[in-house]
């Protein structure tokens, strides 16, 4: 019977072509939006984790309450010991120290006078250590525009946009002007070894990257750091595991009244990322639900129009003795087959569109010029496993639901009036 119905669908394009096109368009939109939003949310989460939050972050309690001001006087001390303890207690994570602080960059002219100045956001990471994974985690090697990665103390990287603004080049000297963690003034000369562009508008605007040992020296922060970040070994955020680690760690210092005691926060507790993750988890369900409702209404009307065109056909089949239930069931099977065909076609086109956006992306840098949020300047879709089946949900459900609603008219036909209707 299915083979017979399938032949009817193929041969009679008037009754199948429009529903297949509608289903294919809806499924294409579902599959593409699923991959597009999944890619965007994943990029935002990964960018924040790499540059700002880690999968978990440890700060002093006082620093955590004022972290937007980057209060280096509230930094953690004896971090080497704390890092070793963390590695022993949580071996499924990698722990890194970072220092974030602000200051003024001064560019001298040939006579030693100030030629240009600009506020800088400095991030100190492990650049010179042989075992450091920060170069790969921050994708520094692939982000180099000019020059090279620092090879010795006293060399720094500067964002390419910031270098253009200050009119400096590779090999030029700059002077950092700021303060130490104890409040005294700090002045230090550095050499530009390279310029970088991370594709992150907020970070590229005025970033300087130096080795953490240089930062500890200039800030008088020996064996200290403003934060310790933890990353799972596979570099993928695991929500439940992160929450368990946070609860376990914070319980050790819960009763401590020391404002410099360490406090751990998960990625979801920072920068509103918890809401973003929750939103991303529900987006696919929202998209599917909306499209099911919209497509059902359209296909209901399409089914009603098809029912009018096939009014005589149904009458003949009833006159020949076929039951109303049999006609109704066969129309549902026909709807399933049409929905499956449309879903396959729509999934294929949706994956093609997703792949294109994954490779090419959409440049939104002009929209982020005034943004301080950490997010990529080029948003990309991402092909994910759920795209292989998510389109079949609205494709099949909407088609079947539409046909069920429109097919109810079959039960309103009166057998006694059939011959009179067929004579017309």
């Amino acid at each position: 019977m299915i083979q017979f119905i399938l032949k009817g669908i193929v041969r009679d394009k008037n009754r199948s072509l429009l529903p297949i096109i509608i289903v294919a368009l809806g499924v294409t939109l579902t599959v593409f939006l699923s991959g597009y939003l999944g890619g965007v949310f994943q990029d935002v989460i990964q960018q924040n984790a790499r540059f700002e939050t880690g999968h978990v972050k440890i700060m002093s309690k006082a620093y955590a309450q004022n972290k937007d001001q980057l209060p280096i006087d509230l930094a953690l001390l004896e971090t080497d010991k704390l890092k070793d303890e963390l590695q022993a207690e949580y071996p499924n994570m990698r722990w890194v120290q970072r220092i974030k602080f602000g200051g003024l960059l001064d560019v001298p002219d040939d006579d030693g006078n100030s030629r240009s100045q600009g506020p800088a956001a400095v991030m100190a990471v492990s650049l010179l250590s042989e075992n450091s994974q920060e170069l790969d985690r921050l994708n520094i090697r692939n982000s180099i525009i000019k020059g090279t990665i620092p090879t010795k103390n006293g060399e720094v990287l500067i964002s390419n946009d910031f270098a253009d603004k200050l009119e400096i080049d590779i090999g030029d000297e700059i002077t950092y002007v700021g303060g130490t963690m104890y409040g005294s003034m700090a002045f230090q000369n550095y050499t530009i070894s390279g310029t970088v562009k991370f594709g992150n508008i907020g970070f590229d605007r005025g970033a300087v990257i130096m080795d953490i040992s240089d930062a500890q020296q200039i800030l008088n922060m020996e064996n200290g750091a403003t934060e310790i970040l933890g990353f799972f070994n596979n570099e993928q955020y695991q929500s439940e595991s992160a929450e368990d680690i946070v609860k376990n760690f914070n319980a050790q210092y819960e009763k401590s009244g020391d404002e410099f005691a360490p406090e751990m926060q998960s990625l979801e507790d920072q920068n509103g990322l918890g809401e973003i993750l929750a939103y991303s988890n529900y987006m696919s369900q929202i998209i599917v639900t909306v499209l099911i409702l919209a497509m059902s209404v359209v296909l209901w009307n399409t089914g009603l129009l098809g029912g009018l065109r096939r009014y005589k056909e149904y009458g003949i089949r009833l006159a020949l003795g076929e039951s109303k239930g049999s006609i109704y069931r066969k129309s549902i099977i026909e709807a399933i087959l049409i929905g499956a065909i449309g879903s396959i076609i729509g999934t294929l086109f949706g994956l093609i569109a997703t792949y294109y956006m994954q490779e090419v992306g959409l440049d939104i840098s002009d929209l982020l010029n005034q943004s301080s949020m950490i997010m990529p300047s080029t948003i990309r879709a991402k092909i994910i496993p759920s795209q292989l089946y998510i389109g079949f949900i609205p494709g099949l459900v909407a088609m079947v639901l539409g046909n069920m609603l429109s097919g109810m008219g079959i039960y309103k036909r009166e057998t006694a009036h059939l011959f009179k209707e067929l004579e017309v």
Side-chain angles (χ1 to χ4, degrees):
M1 181 179 68
I2 293 178
Q3 185 177 4
F4 175 78
I5 295 174
L6 188 59
K7 285 182 178 180
I9 293 173
V10 174
R11 291 173 180 175
D12 187 1
K13 295 182 176 57
N14 290 327
R15 75 182 186 189
S16 60
L17 184 59
L18 182 59
I20 287 175
I21 291 174
I22 294 172
V23 171
L25 287 174
V27 170
T28 298
L29 187 61
T30 303
V31 172
F32 173 71
L33 286 177
S34 177
Y36 178 73
L37 293 173
V40 170
F41 287 131
Q42 185 171 329
D43 281 349
V44 170
I45 296 299
Q46 288 182 348
Q47 285 267 24
N48 276 271
R50 288 162 47 203
F51 287 96
E52 178 68 22
T53 67
H55 294 153
V56 297
K57 179 195 283 188
I58 298 175
M59 304 162 282
S60 70
K61 292 183 177 180
Y63 186 95
Q65 295 174 359
N66 302 276
K67 61 181 178 181
D68 291 339
Q69 284 75 43
L70 300 178
I72 58 174
D73 57 316
L74 303 177
L76 292 166
L77 296 177
E78 299 185 6
T79 51
D80 289 340
K81 178 183 177 182
L82 178 57
K83 181 183 171 184
D84 291 340
E85 292 174 352
L86 289 167
Q87 196 62 63
E89 189 170 358
Y90 308 107
N92 62 325
M93 301 193 77
R94 300 187 181 97
W95 302 91
V96 297
Q97 303 177 56
R98 290 184 185 174
I99 300 176
K100 291 183 179 178
F101 58 102
L104 183 70
L105 286 192
D106 181 85
V107 181
D109 59 17
D110 295 336
D111 298 325
N113 298 318
S114 180
R115 175 165 60 89
S116 60
Q117 293 182 337
V122 186
M123 182 167 69
V125 300
S126 179
L127 290 177
L128 304 179
S129 173
E130 293 183 1
N131 300 322
S132 174
Q133 296 177 331
E134 293 285 69
L135 293 175
D136 294 328
R137 182 173 291 117
L138 297 173
N139 198 30
I140 291 177
R141 292 187 180 89
N142 295 329
S143 301
I144 294 285
I145 302 298
K146 294 184 293 186
T148 61
I149 296 171
T151 56
K152 59 183 180 181
N153 291 107
E155 294 183 341
V156 299
L157 295 170
I158 187 170
S159 71
N160 195 64
D161 295 345
F162 197 25
D164 291 341
K165 179 182 177 181
L166 297 178
E167 298 180 348
I168 53 179
D169 207 344
I170 308 304
D172 289 349
E173 279 199 355
I174 57 174
T175 301
Y176 167 81
V177 182
T180 69
M181 71 175 295
Y182 298 107
S184 59
M185 292 295 294
F187 301 89
Q188 184 68 44
N189 292 331
Y190 294 100
T191 302
I192 304 297
S193 71
T195 65
V196 292
K197 190 176 183 69
F198 292 103
N200 183 316
I201 297 297
F203 198 75
D204 288 337
R205 191 178 294 133
V208 174
I209 301 176
M210 64 173 62
D211 186 71
I212 193 167
S213 60
D214 283 333
Q216 289 172 330
Q217 183 269 325
I218 191 176
L219 298 175
N220 199 11
M221 196 186 290
E222 183 180 357
N223 193 17
T226 57
E227 56 196 38
I228 298 177
L229 303 186
F231 296 88
F232 288 102
N233 290 332
N234 61 1
E235 296 293 333
Q236 297 298 316
Y237 180 65
Q238 302 165 32
S239 179
E240 293 184 2
S241 297
E243 290 299 326
D244 289 341
I245 291 172
V246 169
K247 289 179 181 178
N248 178 268
F249 180 85
N250 287 337
Q252 302 174 40
Y253 302 93
E254 189 174 5
K255 297 182 180 179
S256 173
D258 184 4
E259 65 176 357
F260 291 97
E263 175 183 304
M264 183 184 290
Q265 295 180 358
S266 70
L267 178 148
E268 294 175 64
D269 297 328
Q270 306 173 62
N271 297 359
L273 297 179
E275 290 78 6
I276 293 177
L277 275 173
Y279 183 67
S280 66
N281 291 333
Y282 288 113
M283 273 309 299
S284 293
Q285 300 175 28
I286 294 171
I287 292 170
V288 169
T289 302
V290 170
L291 286 174
I292 284 177
L293 295 174
M295 290 168 59
S296 295
V297 172
V298 175
L299 292 169
W300 179 12
N301 286 282
T302 303
L304 290 174
L305 293 174
L308 292 174
R309 190 183 62 81
R310 301 173 68 182
Y311 188 81
K312 184 174 289 189
E313 174 196 335
Y314 290 151
I316 293 174
R317 290 167 65 178
L318 288 170
L320 292 175
E322 188 172 0
S323 67
K324 295 177 182 179
S326 174
I327 296 176
Y328 187 71
R329 286 191 295 273
K330 287 177 182 176
S331 70
I332 299 303
I333 295 173
E334 183 179 297
I336 294 173
L337 293 174
I338 291 175
I341 294 170
S343 297
I344 293 171
I345 296 172
T347 299
L348 179 61
F349 279 103
L351 289 173
I352 292 172
T354 303
Y355 179 77
Y356 175 80
M357 281 298 296
Q358 178 177 283
E359 297 299 314
V360 177
L362 178 64
D363 187 356
I364 60 169
S365 56
D366 291 340
L367 303 176
L368 300 175
N369 286 332
Q370 304 300 321
S371 174
S372 59
M373 182 179 179
I374 297 179
M375 67 179 298
S377 58
T378 300
I379 53 178
R380 301 177 185 276
K382 184 177 180 61
I383 294 179
I384 53 180
S386 62
Q387 287 180 285
L388 297 176
Y389 63 81
I390 194 170
F392 284 84
I393 300 173
L396 291 173
V397 173
M399 186 66 200
V400 171
L401 185 59
N403 264 45
M404 287 175 65
L405 294 172
S406 62
M408 295 298 292
I410 295 173
Y411 288 96
K412 297 180 181 179
R413 301 291 294 272
E414 295 292 338
T415 308
H417 298 164
L418 284 177
F419 288 101
K420 183 177 180 181
E421 291 176 1
L422 295 175
E423 287 176 359
V424 180

